[in-house]
Amino acid sequence: MTHPFKSVPVRSYEITPKDVYLSRRDFMKAASVVGGAALLAACAPSAEEAAQNAAPAPVSGATDELGDAVNTYEDITNYNNYYEFTTDKQGVAGLAQDFNTSPWTLEVSGLVNKPQTFGIEDLTKKFTQEERIYRLRCVEAWSMVIPWTGFTLASLLKEVEPTSDAKYVRFETVYRPEEMPGQKSPFYPWPYQEGLRLDEAMHDLTLLATGLYGEPNVTQNGAPIRLVVPWKYGFKSIKSIVKIELTSEQPETMWETIAPNEYGFYANVNPDVDHPRWSQASERRIGELNRRPTIAFNGYGEQVASLYEDMNLQVNY
Ligand code: MTE
């Protein structure tokens, strides 16, 4: 990904109110030695929020299904890609702090029988919120393990009833250049847009995330609602979505429009197909010193490889 902007480094203690930062640190310290529901309940943000967002908080010392520990809250919220703010990963959190996520609506339209516009509160109430610990693998060859809270995109799509002509799903990020300084850059065709094939969108792993670490999502990670498609490179996981549209044609995506030879529509994590500027054979897990081998489909091959049975993934990268 390109870096035409200046960097603005921000330390985590500058962007997180100190009491919140300290209580999170205390929680993480305690969580690494003690387990159990009482502690987890104690770390919930408030009874009201917990009731609204009724997902279990992360299990202490949580790992993904491969046994790898979740990254720290500080890493996950201070090392971000979010070009609407800046291309400097450590600068996003500071610049996104005042981004206004309330009120927020999500329009779901296009080739559906029941087009609807949902308030964000409707979505968190209507659809069962669950916790999913997923690996996030960026095309830049770094990765993290993140405990998301959210609901399946499939549950939302079923609600609007895609018609038989719907073959793809198009996603669009909010366009607010006054709040998102990066959107003033003429180098990118804003708003950020992404797409999935309908069967990928309906897959049970495909999540609309509304929370992180058992708390409501924060702006730098795509609050109030962002997509998470764990077997694809991170750029498919579009943040701050305001529009989801069902289409018959493969939608354009922002990165494909900019550099079609670098960013394909499918973008499945694949150690055998290199990006022109980054080998994809290995990756750097944030928080670790040594690189680790990249796993095909980011380790989710058993669940998703069948979606691509008839395709040449060297061509459809
Ligand atoms: N969504 C929008 N709207 N803008 C972005 O710049 N960056 C993508 C993706 N979603 C991006 C986006 C990329 S390249 C990655 S790797 C992930 O968000 C990073 O998600 P994280 O910051 O929550 O780790």
Side-chain angles (χ1 to χ4, degrees):
M1 306 200 150
T2 49
H3 299 263
F5 300 110
K6 270 189 173 168
S7 62
V8 187
V10 175
R11 299 208 182 100
S12 57
Y13 63 78
E14 290 175 299
I15 55 151
T16 309
K18 204 171 166 202
D19 53 339
V20 177
Y21 179 72
L22 289 177
S23 67
R24 273 191 203 120
R25 280 171 61 94
D26 289 345
F27 163 64
M28 289 318 294
K29 252 190 259 155
S32 61
V33 287
V34 196
L39 171 70
L40 296 171
C43 94
S46 74
E48 200 187 335
E49 275 170 2
Q52 262 180 18
N53 206 357
V59 179
S60 58
T63 63
D64 64 12
E65 80 287 5
L66 303 180
D68 289 328
V70 296
N71 278 87
T72 65
Y73 188 84
E74 275 62 40
D75 277 348
I76 295 168
T77 58
N78 288 287
Y79 191 85
N80 301 102
N81 268 333
Y82 203 165
Y83 279 35
E84 282 83 344
F85 291 99
T86 169
T87 57
D88 169 29
K89 294 184 215 324
Q90 283 152 320
V92 174
L95 287 170
Q97 209 177 14
D98 295 330
F99 176 64
N100 189 5
T101 60
S102 177
W104 193 276
T105 55
L106 173 62
E107 180 192 317
V108 192
S109 58
L111 300 173
V112 297
N113 290 325
K114 295 183 178 168
Q116 282 176 72
T117 298
F118 299 88
I120 190 73
E121 309 75 21
D122 308 334
L123 294 171
T124 46
K125 270 189 222 130
K126 191 173 180 68
F127 300 104
T128 312
Q129 306 291 302
E130 38 180 309
E131 187 190 296
R132 300 272 181 104
I133 297 178
Y134 282 160
R135 293 171 289 288
L136 176 100
R137 168 62 155 78
C138 182
V139 72
E140 297 160 335
W142 55 267
S143 63
M144 294 201 203
V145 180
I146 305 183
W148 298 109
T149 308
F151 58 99
T152 59
L153 175 60
S155 57
L156 176 65
L157 294 181
K158 280 179 197 148
E159 190 70 22
V160 295
E161 296 179 8
T163 68
S164 55
D165 294 335
K167 300 282 182 283
Y168 293 90
V169 187
R170 178 182 168 274
F171 305 84
E172 193 177 301
T173 292
V174 71
Y175 180 67
R176 262 194 241 157
E178 291 317 310
E179 282 183 67
M180 299 174 127
Q183 284 183 336
K184 292 188 174 148
S185 164
F187 296 116
Y188 301 97
W190 308 111
Y192 197 106
Q193 50 175 335
E194 257 307 334
L196 293 174
R197 220 168 54 190
L198 186 58
D199 57 345
E200 299 175 320
M202 294 298 287
H203 195 281
D204 182 60
L205 285 175
T206 306
L207 197 71
L208 283 168
T210 54
L212 184 63
Y213 254 93
E215 296 184 18
N217 207 356
V218 287
T219 48
Q220 59 268 41
N221 293 89
I225 187 159
R226 61 91 57 89
L227 187 67
V228 186
V229 194
W231 70 95
K232 293 179 179 282
Y233 292 119
F235 65 86
K236 299 296 289 183
S237 293
I238 180 173
K239 296 178 171 181
S240 306
I241 305 168
V242 287
K243 193 168 179 188
I244 296 179
E245 194 185 352
L246 283 285
T247 64
S248 57
E249 304 287 327
Q250 183 175 307
E252 283 182 7
T253 74
M254 190 179 91
W255 288 109
E256 221 187 353
T257 310
I258 296 171
N261 61 325
E262 297 194 14
Y263 310 105
F265 178 79
Y266 284 93
N268 294 315
V269 173
N270 190 341
D272 301 330
V273 176
D274 286 337
H275 180 277
R277 280 178 287 141
W278 301 289
S279 161
Q280 299 296 11
S282 68
E283 66 192 52
R284 181 172 60 94
R285 177 68 46 85
I286 300 302
E288 289 181 1
L289 288 177
N290 296 327
R291 292 179 78 88
R292 44 167 77 213
T294 299
I295 319 177
F297 297 110
N298 205 21
Y300 301 96
E302 221 171 274
Q303 291 102 305
V304 300
S306 61
L307 297 175
Y308 310 102
E309 247 164 21
D310 304 330
M311 285 173 59
N312 179 346
L313 296 178
Q314 303 278 334
V315 177
N316 294 288
Y317 56 86

